[in-house]
Amino acid sequence: MSDESKAKNPEAAATVDTAGPGKGASLPKRFYKDVTAKDEGAGAALLLDGKPVRTPGKAPLAVPTRALAEAIAEEWRAQGERIDPRTMPLTRLANSAIDGVRGREQAVVDDIMAHARADLLCYRASGPEGLVAEQAKHWDKVIAWAKDALKAPLVLAEGVVHVTQPETSLAEIRKRVEGLDAFGLAALHVMTSLTGSAVLALAVALGRLTPDEAWQVAHVDEDWQISQWGEDAEAAARRAARRRDFDAACKALQLLERGTNPSP
């Protein structure tokens, strides 16, 4: 729908595709002035000029907590003359939870568990010695935490040859993941995908690691390579974009009701 059509139809104007413009497409113009969060049922909804916002799938943009709704509202208030979805990671996450996760929670759980079966932290380098030491320094403590706190001991391997994890351990991890609602699952899925580790994502969700600590742990290999060969500007920009999405997912978990988080 064109910007002119949106201006003529306020109800339609409250629907914005925050998936981002296609290649060569321009960003949509900002068509609203006021942004508010309104309590609705057990959660809160976003309003633009008093009109409810809808997701790209045409569902109401409503989230479980007022705190999360206010954080999303801040993203909309911060937009300039154009709406840039790249600067709205919480909005994109909420859209994903509503349009992509709700109703197919088990499929998302399965995808997170696929990462757990081949978790980054379980695959160690055989060399160089410096990298081996860095992996042990940062990864061993998280593996130990999974064993003690999650009752999920994991098997380590050298190299990239797949190692089978104990089904009892995977069942304990799955139990934690299944304790999340659609919004929590959307956040955890982003965190898992960006780090390559379901264990790291759960460590943040359960308060064992801060987002900064988890990000550092997830990038031991990359940071070691940078220390040896330097950093590429394009790679740094991609990493910064991934970090923005990771931080948003962590923030979303913090803003959700405790009842939507896995028990410690």
Side-chain angles (χ1 to χ4, degrees):
M1 181 176 292
S2 68
D3 294 324
E4 182 180 357
S5 298
K6 289 177 181 177
K8 292 179 180 178
N9 186 344
E11 186 65 32
T15 301
V16 178
D17 186 354
T18 51
K23 186 175 181 181
S26 62
L27 296 172
K29 291 181 179 179
R30 176 168 175 163
F31 54 85
Y32 58 89
K33 293 182 179 180
D34 298 323
V35 184
T36 55
K38 178 185 177 182
D39 291 335
E40 187 173 284
L46 190 71
L47 304 179
L48 301 180
D49 293 333
K51 301 293 184 181
V53 180
R54 294 189 177 276
T55 68
K58 310 303 180 185
L61 181 52
V63 297
T65 68
R66 179 63 179 260
L68 180 55
E70 289 288 357
I72 292 172
E74 281 301 316
E75 291 185 340
W76 289 81
R77 294 184 187 111
Q79 298 304 301
E81 293 183 357
R82 297 275 178 175
I83 301 173
D84 187 352
R86 293 169 297 184
T87 66
M88 307 171 77
L90 286 173
T91 302
R92 289 187 283 108
L93 183 67
N95 286 339
S96 176
I98 295 167
D99 290 346
V101 178
R102 184 178 288 164
R104 55 185 300 272
E105 286 86 350
Q106 284 305 309
V108 178
V109 170
D110 288 343
D111 197 49
I112 293 172
M113 290 307 302
H115 282 83
R117 291 179 181 277
D119 202 276
L120 167 74
L121 306 185
C122 295
Y123 291 86
R124 306 301 178 90
S126 57
E129 185 177 326
L131 176 57
V132 172
E134 282 297 298
Q135 289 180 342
K137 175 184 175 182
H138 293 284
W139 294 0
D140 286 358
K141 59 188 177 184
V142 186
I143 292 293
W145 170 80
K147 178 181 179 180
D148 296 338
L150 303 183
K151 308 303 179 189
L154 298 171
V155 179
L156 306 186
E158 188 175 284
V160 295
V161 178
H162 178 73
V163 60
T164 301
Q165 297 298 338
E167 287 300 325
T168 52
S169 297
L170 294 172
E172 290 297 328
I173 293 173
R174 188 181 188 96
K175 190 187 307 180
R176 305 292 181 139
V177 176
E178 288 181 331
L180 294 161
D181 69 357
F183 288 87
L185 280 174
L188 198 76
H189 188 271
V190 168
M191 295 159 65
T192 300
S193 299
L194 290 175
T195 62
S197 172
V199 174
L200 271 181
L202 282 174
V204 175
L206 297 172
R208 172 59 181 83
L209 295 176
T210 66
D212 284 343
E213 290 169 338
W215 192 253
Q216 180 184 19
V217 171
H219 289 80
V220 166
D221 290 359
E222 185 175 318
D223 287 341
W224 189 86
Q225 292 290 343
I226 290 172
S227 73
Q228 302 299 305
W229 311 108
E231 187 172 29
D232 174 79
E234 290 186 5
R238 290 193 297 270
R239 177 164 167 171
R242 295 197 308 272
R243 178 64 194 267
R244 182 173 55 206
D245 288 344
F246 177 79
D247 285 345
C250 295
K251 183 176 182 179
L253 277 182
Q254 294 171 352
L255 296 175
L256 289 168
E257 291 178 334
R258 183 169 177 78
T260 65
N261 290 336
S263 335

